[in-house]
Amino acid sequence: MSRLQQLVSLFLLTFSFLAYAEEVTLPFKGITLNADFQTSDAQPLSDGVIVLVHGTLAHNHMEIIRAFQEQLTENGYHTLAINLSLGVDNRHGMYDCNTPHQHKHTDALTEVDQWIQWLKNQGADKITLLGHSRGGNQVAWYTSEHPEQVQRQVLIAPATWSAEQERVDYQTRYKKNLEQVIKEAEQTPENAWLKNTDFIYCANSEVTAGSFLNYYKPDTRFNTPDIIKNTTTPTLVFSGSEDTTVKDLPVQMKRIDNPHIRYFDIEGADHFFMDLYTDEVVELIVEFLESN
């Protein structure tokens, strides 16, 4: 085959792949949810779909989500990368800290469920959830409450939590006492606004008291290893040896003895598993999907 023929073949292959990718939308509580739907002609939709969930205040076009979606689709899997709305109509891109916050951590569970029902209405079955960082925690939380809806779950650097570490992190980042802010939020009506409040990655934000408490009031379910330790859903977990965001994940995972869980610590990977680490993780995901 000549070099020109090779280039033409590559172009046609790429065009064929792109032709099966589209943004889809879903009406939900007066706003529009959106997601990127990529289908493979290697199998029917009824054979299953992988739903990808991004991390904190992020989006479905961030590099890690896009890389995993494209590689998994190229491996013959249908994929749906969703944008969590975070209370914003038809949201795209990173959440703007200037936008008042009225979203909740647990809103993701409801939106994931809406997309699963949408997929089933399209004829899909055998749902696999894949979440990164906070999205990994939200996936595990959803699966723990709706195990009948999920065939498998893949958790990439899922969030960990302890009340003490949360307190220390808030004090370090904002030089403020988290317990004092929680107390103020508890004494405020749920839908009332807290002004000039430091919230997640957004300093001096406007946030409802209910939203602040939903993210910060102590709850062991924020700690992903606690959620999955007794799961019966086939579960694949990844940590990165150079991850400084969920540093305690390897220690916690090594304490879990559950035959339904496979765990890999990827040497050299940071929180985002880019480039060759994406290839390594996808290879392990494909092996896991083929055996479960």
Side-chain angles (χ1 to χ4, degrees), residues 69-250:
Q69 181 176 28
E70 290 182 354
Q71 285 207 30
L72 288 167
T73 307
E74 289 168 3
N75 273 277
Y77 294 94
H78 307 301
T79 59
L80 182 76
I82 69 174
N83 260 336
L84 297 175
S85 74
L86 304 179
V88 176
D89 182 42
N90 202 25
R91 190 180 71 87
H92 293 83
M94 293 295 292
Y95 191 92
D96 183 353
C97 283
N98 292 320
T99 303
H101 299 268
Q102 53 186 340
H103 53 89
K104 296 179 178 180
H105 176 86
T106 52
D107 287 345
L109 280 63
T110 305
E111 292 188 14
V112 166
D113 189 67
Q114 290 295 304
W115 282 114
I116 288 176
Q117 301 315 313
W118 179 84
L119 284 168
K120 290 188 174 182
N121 288 337
Q122 313 307 309
D125 199 0
K126 301 178 182 176
I127 303 299
T128 299
L129 294 182
L130 183 155
H132 172 246
S133 197
R134 182 183 294 274
N137 174 263
Q138 291 162 325
V139 160
W141 196 327
Y142 175 84
T143 300
S144 72
E145 295 188 355
H146 305 279
E148 74 286 351
Q149 300 283 10
V150 183
Q151 183 183 24
R152 302 162 294 205
Q153 60 181 346
V154 179
L155 312 176
I156 301 174
T160 58
W161 174 92
S162 74
E164 175 63 15
Q165 191 59 54
E166 187 85 327
R167 183 191 67 77
V168 169
D169 289 347
Y170 198 86
Q171 179 69 41
T172 300
R173 180 184 290 270
Y174 294 119
K175 313 302 182 201
K176 292 179 182 176
N177 186 312
L178 176 59
E179 293 173 348
Q180 198 64 35
V181 185
I182 289 175
K183 184 176 180 181
E184 178 187 350
E186 289 177 328
Q187 296 172 345
T188 304
E190 181 177 2
N191 293 323
W193 294 100
L194 301 173
K195 308 286 187 177
N196 301 316
T197 300
D198 301 314
F199 181 67
I200 311 179
Y201 301 141
C202 300
N204 299 316
S205 294
E206 188 174 4
V207 54
T208 64
S211 180
F212 190 91
L213 291 173
N214 189 264
Y215 277 92
Y216 283 106
K217 192 171 182 177
D219 189 326
T220 58
R221 289 174 294 183
F222 286 127
N223 191 48
T224 307
D226 280 345
I227 296 177
I228 66 173
K229 62 185 177 183
N230 296 317
T231 188
T232 57
T233 300
T235 301
L236 181 61
V237 182
F238 293 99
S239 62
S241 68
E242 305 305 309
D243 189 346
T244 59
T245 302
V246 286
K247 295 179 287 189
D248 62 336
L249 181 60

Side-chain angles (χ1 to χ4, degrees), residues 1-22:
M1 180 182 292
S2 70
R3 178 60 176 166
L4 178 59
Q5 289 174 316
Q6 289 176 333
L7 289 172
V8 170
S9 295
L10 179 60
F11 171 80
L12 291 174
L13 179 62
T14 303
F15 179 82
S16 176
F17 170 72
L18 291 175
Y20 292 94
E22 64 174 331

Side-chain angles (χ1 to χ4, degrees), residues 276-290:
L276 293 177
Y277 301 115
T278 303
D279 300 339
E280 183 176 354
V281 170
V282 168
E283 184 176 336
L284 291 168
I285 292 174
V286 169
E287 178 184 314
F288 168 74
L289 296 176
E290 289 178 349

